[in-house]
């Protein structure tokens, strides 16, 4: 395992938000402990209840992805992939077309998000399945030999990391208010970690992979305001970059090590130094924030697109704040009170 992991129990805030009298800075960037967890969580250590949530999210992601395969933006992505061609490493869902893995995940992840019926972690304004399962399938298609248990364990860890990043970054401030599309932004990091694990990268290569992905990380919320198609493409951009980052790391390319807490790291550069190590690490491997997510009935992928108006509204020039408020469930007390040993998130 990597040296000097961040402690499981940490101060409530880190960086510049810690204030006077705060503990000294950690011996290593928090990404070290995140990578340790991502690479080390074993299937046998995950409760049956948590695994069932992962299976449900997996089934829902594939269902809504196939349901959205012909939406605006998806057709164009497939057409472009067909024109560009390349090594047939992974399949585009609902199509016989096989393309390079990072191209396949760009399309499949966008499909999952295209109808806005993918899972919602309301505590962090996040859709974790879109930035998890398309990448896991694409890497499995590319490398082969990944067992079902390893697939589920790696996916569970990636969802957990994504959910924790969403609530630990500017706690109490939703991503849209901060100006970010959390699913896209966080997807760069969580997908790189997921791909690194499934590709069996070393500890050092994994840190490089997430560093390479962080160098590309983006995803502002202007697409929401303008009702632009790029909103639904964002998870695809992130997941594609994450898979490509892992492949570059496997080839020996280095990335920055101070991914989260560096002088220009994630929490400083994008979140003004306002973050919580406690929300990131307390109960890690025991409490799973994703247990707070309501399941999305699979039939929504087939029935609701026919019965309801387009969501989000397109070509209106209006912000869709009211629709967003209805779309996300009201955060539970566990979202704001932190992760507790007695929380319903506990296994």
């Amino acid at each position: 395992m990597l040296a000097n992991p961040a402690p499981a129990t940490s101060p409530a805030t880190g960086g510049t938000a810690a204030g006077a009298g705060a503990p000294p800075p950690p011996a290593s960037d928090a990404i070290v402990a995140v990578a340790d967890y991502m690479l080390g969580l074993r299937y046998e250590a995950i409760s049956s209840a948590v695994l069932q949530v992962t299976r449900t999210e997996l089934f829902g992601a594939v269902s809504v992805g196939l349901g959205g395969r012909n939406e605006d933006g998806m057709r164009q992505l497939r057409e472009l992939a067909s024109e560009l061609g390349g090594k047939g490493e992974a399949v585009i869902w609902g199509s016989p077309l096989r393309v390079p893995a990072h191209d396949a995940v760009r399309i499949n992840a966008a499909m999952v998000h295209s109808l806005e019926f993918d899972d919602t972690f309301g505590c962090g304004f996040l859709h974790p399945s879109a930035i998890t399962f398309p990448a896991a399938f694409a890497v499995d298609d590319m490398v082969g030999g990944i067992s079902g248990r390893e697939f589920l364990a790696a996916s569970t860890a990636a969802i957990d990391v994504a959910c924790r990043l969403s609530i630990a970054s500017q706690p109490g401030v939703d991503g849209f208010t901060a100006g970010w599309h959390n699913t896209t932004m966080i997807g760069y990091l969580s997908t790189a970690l997921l791909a690194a694990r499934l590709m069996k990268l070393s500890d050092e290569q994994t840190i490089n992979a997430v560093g390479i992905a962080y160098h590309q990380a983006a995803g502002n919320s202007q697409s929401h305001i303008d009702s632009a198609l790029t909103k639904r493409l964002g998870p695809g951009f992130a997941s594609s970059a994450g898979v490509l980052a892992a492949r570059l790391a496997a080839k020996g390319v280095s990335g920055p090590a101070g991914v989260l807490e560096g002088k220009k790291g994630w929490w400083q550069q994008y979140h003004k130094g306002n973050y919580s190590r406690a929300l990131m690490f307390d109960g890690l491997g025991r409490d799973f924030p994703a247990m707070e997510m309501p399941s999305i009935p699979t039939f929504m992928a087939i029935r609701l697109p026919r019965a309801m108006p387009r969501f989000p509204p397109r070509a209106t020039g209006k912000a869709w704040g009211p629709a967003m408020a209805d779309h996300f469930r009201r955060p539970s007390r566990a979202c704001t009170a932190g992760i507790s040993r007695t929380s319903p998130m506990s296994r």
Side-chain angles (χ1 to χ4, degrees):
M1 303 296 282
L2 293 164
N4 299 320
T9 302
S10 311
T13 56
T16 58
S28 61
D29 192 273
I31 197 62
V32 175
V34 172
D36 273 352
Y37 171 66
M38 185 68 218
L39 297 178
L41 183 66
R42 303 268 70 87
Y43 178 89
E44 294 75 15
I46 307 170
S47 74
S48 58
V50 172
L51 288 170
Q52 185 55 46
V53 169
T54 303
R55 293 187 187 98
T56 300
E57 296 303 305
L58 167 59
F59 187 51
V62 174
S63 299
V64 297
L66 291 174
R69 66 188 181 277
N70 291 321
E71 289 296 300
D72 286 347
M74 307 308 109
R75 297 189 303 273
Q76 294 91 324
L77 284 174
R78 279 199 306 274
E79 289 170 4
L80 182 59
S82 180
E83 292 168 8
L84 294 176
K87 187 177 180 181
E89 296 174 326
V91 70
I92 297 174
W93 296 356
S95 162
L97 187 62
R98 295 184 67 86
V99 294
H102 53 276
D103 289 335
V105 71
R106 182 185 302 113
I107 300 169
N108 296 339
M111 283 165 50
V112 172
H113 195 51
S114 64
L115 291 173
E116 292 286 349
F117 293 140
D118 43 341
D119 59 348
T120 299
F121 179 57
C123 304
F125 281 68
L126 182 75
H127 301 280
S129 66
I131 51 175
T132 301
F133 299 112
F137 275 118
V139 173
D140 179 48
D141 229 359
M142 176 179 68
V143 303
I146 298 172
S147 70
R149 288 191 169 198
E150 172 62 5
F151 185 100
L152 286 174
S155 297
T156 298
I159 289 172
D160 194 26
V161 166
C163 289
R164 285 173 175 272
L165 277 171
S166 73
I167 58 176
S169 305
Q170 296 196 56
V173 179
D174 69 76
F176 301 101
T177 298
W180 306 119
H181 181 215
N182 271 355
T183 304
T184 299
M185 285 280 292
I186 291 170
Y188 283 89
L189 307 189
S190 64
T191 302
L193 290 164
L194 172 63
R197 171 168 175 162
L198 293 175
M199 291 171 62
K200 301 186 184 304
L201 299 193
S202 68
D203 295 346
E204 181 180 2
Q205 288 172 324
T206 299
I207 295 295
N208 281 327
V210 72
I212 294 167
Y214 171 54
H215 190 76
Q216 305 171 75
N220 60 71
S221 57
Q222 189 63 38
S223 291
H224 299 69
I225 297 171
D226 292 347
S227 300
L229 283 176
T230 44
K231 194 275 181 184
R232 57 179 55 169
L233 303 188
F237 294 151
S239 298
S240 175
V243 171
L244 185 59
R247 301 186 76 171
L248 288 170
K251 293 291 187 182
V253 176
S254 64
V259 173
L260 293 177
E261 296 176 298
K263 184 177 180 180
K264 296 297 181 182
W266 170 276
W267 280 326
Q268 297 295 336
Q269 191 72 7
Y270 292 150
H271 298 288
K272 305 175 182 179
N274 179 10
Y275 65 97
S276 169
R277 270 185 156 243
L279 289 174
M280 190 72 225
F281 293 113
D282 283 2
L284 191 64
R286 182 193 63 239
D287 299 335
F288 290 83
M291 294 291 283
E292 286 286 298
M293 282 194 295
S295 61
I296 305 297
T298 303
F299 74 85
M300 292 178 72
I302 301 172
R303 299 289 179 84
L304 290 185
R306 300 174 183 173
M308 295 178 65
R310 296 289 185 184
F311 184 83
R314 293 201 296 266
T316 62
K318 298 179 181 179
W320 48 294
M324 179 61 69
D326 292 338
H327 179 50
F328 285 101
R329 64 192 292 265
R330 182 173 299 174
S332 71
R333 183 174 60 83
C335 300
T336 55
I339 298 170
S340 165
R341 286 181 171 81
T342 59
S343 163
M345 295 182 287
S346 174
R347 65 185 182 93

